[in-house]
Amino acid sequence: MTKSLILASVAALALCTAPALAQDQARIAPGAPGDAPTWVNAAKTGAGASYEAYVDGRYADGGPTGDVSRVWFSLADGVLTETMYGLIHEAQIKQLRFAVVTETGLSVEGTDTTSRTEYLHTDANGRPLSPAYRVITTDNQGRYEIEKRIYTDPDSQSLVVRTNIKAMAGRITPYLLLEPHMANTGVGDEAIAFNDYLFSSEGDANLVLLPDKPFQVVSAGFMGTSDGLTDLRDGRLDDVYFSTGEQRGNTMLTGALEPLETGGSLQRDFVIGFGPSPADAMHQAKRTYLVGLDAVLANFNGEGSAVGWEDYIASLTDLPRIAEQSTDGGKLAYASALMLKVQEDRTHAGALIASLSNPWGDTVDATNPSTGYKAVWPRDFYQVAMAMLALGDTETPLAAFRYLPQVQVRADTPGNTGATGWFLQKTWVDGTIEWVAVQLDQTAMPIMLGYKLWKAGLVSDAEMAGMYTRMIKPAADFLVEGGKLGLNWNDRTVTPPWTQQERWEEQEGYSPSTTAAVVAGLVTAAEIARASGDTASADRYLATADDYAGKIESRMFTTEGSLGDGKYFVRITRNEDPNDRAPIGEANAQQGLPEDQIVDGGFLELVRYGVRPPYASSIVATLPEYDDQTREDRLRVRYDLNGVPAWRRYGNDGYGENVETGNGYGVGGMTPGQRGRVWPFFTGERGHYDLAAVLADTSGNEGWRESSLNGIRLLYVRGMESFANGGLLLPEQVWDGVGNDTAYDYKPGQGTNSATPLAWTHAEYIKLLRSLADRKVWDRYDPVAERYSAE
């Protein structure tokens, strides 16, 4: 959209006064398209969105929470980072930060500051009640401090940033720096700067940043050439531009605030509105100011008569009970409840994503649109839905179950010419296909979730009968028969329980974790089939499950391995002989090593779902190899960090920072120096195993059992809590201390730049609390355990 059309559109609606420009409107920024764009640090310390109540199980305007807000934000390094509007993956902002000119030089938030993140709204015990944040950044040289209060307007498409800037040592002049990445890229943006507001757009995505008072000076430019930060390197914003003109690229908008003397402070408010037109974006921002920013926060929180986050937290009937199992007073439990709900799309009810981040985002090219982890994987989806059910949320898991047919392959799936019934590997929340490998656990888990909801009484017999025909039977049939695929590049043939990929999306073959889910999926499908009147299919599902379960050890348990005493479950084997030491595939620039050298924790899923009892000889035999901390770092899996037992995904994992350079994953190309780090949810998985073992041991008295259960709390629950950052967010990976760390200066146990918050990690923490509270593993399926794990 041209500058003239923008001005005409805004003026036509009389949404703002004529801007008092501080520079010649004819000045067009040079240097298009600017530097190559990237995203930002994925180690978020905050993530937020408005709570929106369903209307008949869907998101629609006019319900208890009014109009539906479709704005999400994230925080990292003390600054506002990726901010989405529309669908949950559609980023519109890369970051918003302040640069401060001081008497001794330029200081930039995030680079030259330390920060802390706090929740604005907590209960008397300090447990967060909404994802509204206070973020405080302090200059490393003590010259200034900036406090930002950040939240969304639940009744508008807008974001509020309220600031208080203090000069602590010498005169300072702060400058707001806004880096748009409209329409989920950093290359197609235009930018226009008025003293009264800042504007950016790409296509039908529009943004207006509206300050409560006009900026002193403004500028629009291309990154690395004509942007405000580049201009400020000499301490002056004096080479200013009104617009980026007809050129598009990677842009920055800059607005100067009033200078401050030592001891002075400045309070300024900013509202960022989004919309399909410039006028609508301006309207959204104006609407928020008209309500009043204090009232908007109260509405966001759900205070008084407003329906908001307090109401959602209050609806979680099991949260107070399970929070008693925590060791931090319930703070992380409440934060986890918020994070799980925040990371749901607000157009497609029940669409639960993996993380509101883009892994190693500061090194990821933003030239083309990407979802990162802001997408649906049925496996992560299952973990989250089950955790929300554990909290007592009776609506979101049901919406999630009803959403699932959207990501199941059918005969009419665009481009499909092959087998049906399996679930897509990765999709956008609207069902757009992204990745198409077959992971059999992702086809089993929707069945398992449906069974849990049915048994909980949330899905009626009549609805389940319909879903059986529509979704569950096709999935179960695929788990029995497999078939020839025909979608995009994927023309492989899958013969279950052989899977094209296991849960780490890298290897084909027979996997303990995948097989555990497949067996549980088939047994629960049989229960549903029988209740739906399909006894023939029920019998077939059980017979197949029995066959798969009966061959688990012969296919995946080596008795001639090269580790320890040679007897343990391997991570995966490409054929049915776990003793032939055949190599597995290369992945993440790591050589494909013999199968017997690679151990992971997938065998514990056999116990979690009830496919094997905790004291099965194959399970007990594998634990020493999984726990061996004397093994060389390349193959070692367990690392005790600050007294907390923690594990990598598997030996020889390359999905992480480079041990030689310290760079993030994939920087400079895929190299053998890459190393996958420790994942905190494995601490929860091991806690679940120890819980199952304690509950299965009938030799001790009740006092011994309670002491053992408390020991699990103190070791595994407290351990997971230790991995949370200052914003009470749990990461995908934490630093294990192996190799160089010149790029990020991580400390052992600190979350890396892979992805925070990871929904799966928060889900595992919640499920561990629920399992301890119930004295029963939450993911255990009774008909599975009764069939295969009876003592």
Side-chain angles (χ1 to χ4, degrees), residues 16 45 80 89 157 202 295 472 580 588 606 634 648 774:
C16 62
T45 59
L80 177 74
H89 67 270
Q157 309 306 324
E202 179 180 345
I472 289 173
D580 65 1
N588 297 311
L606 295 165
R634 182 181 185 186
R648 301 168 67 203
D774 289 353

Side-chain angles (χ1 to χ4, degrees), residues 535-619:
T535 57
S537 290
D539 292 343
R540 186 167 73 125
Y541 299 155
L542 288 177
T544 304
D546 289 348
D547 178 66
Y548 295 167
K551 296 175 181 177
I552 286 172
E553 278 76 12
S554 66
R555 282 174 168 158
M556 291 162 272
F557 184 84
T558 182
T559 57
E560 301 175 11
S562 59
L563 306 178
D565 66 359
K567 299 176 181 179
Y568 49 88
F569 278 109
V570 296
R571 170 196 173 193
I572 198 164
T573 177
R574 290 194 159 195
N575 55 38
E576 296 189 55
D577 183 1
N579 292 319
D580 65 1
R581 301 191 180 184
I584 61 175
E586 295 183 6
N588 297 311
Q590 307 304 303
Q591 176 187 357
L593 297 178
E595 63 196 10
D596 67 303
Q597 294 186 23
I598 309 300
V599 175
D600 80 339
F603 70 102
L604 297 177
E605 298 293 272
L606 295 165
V607 176
R608 179 192 286 258
Y609 300 139
V611 181
R612 289 291 183 270
Y615 293 109
S617 59
S618 57
I619 299 294

Side-chain angles (χ1 to χ4, degrees), residues 742-771:
T742 56
Y744 298 100
D745 192 30
Y746 296 131
K747 304 298 186 291
Q750 179 183 351
T752 71
N753 190 12
S754 60
T756 304
L758 190 73
W760 189 345
T761 314
H762 283 282
E764 184 67 17
Y765 175 73
I766 290 296
K767 289 194 288 182
L768 181 57
L769 296 182
R770 177 64 189 253
S771 297

Side-chain angles (χ1 to χ4, degrees), residues 310-324:
E310 280 190 12
D311 299 275
Y312 177 70
I313 290 294
S315 75
L316 303 178
T317 54
D318 288 289
L319 175 57
R321 179 174 69 91
I322 70 172
E324 293 177 1

Side-chain angles (χ1 to χ4, degrees), residues 37-51:
T38 65
W39 299 106
V40 287
N41 188 355
K44 309 304 182 186
T45 59
S50 298
Y51 169 67

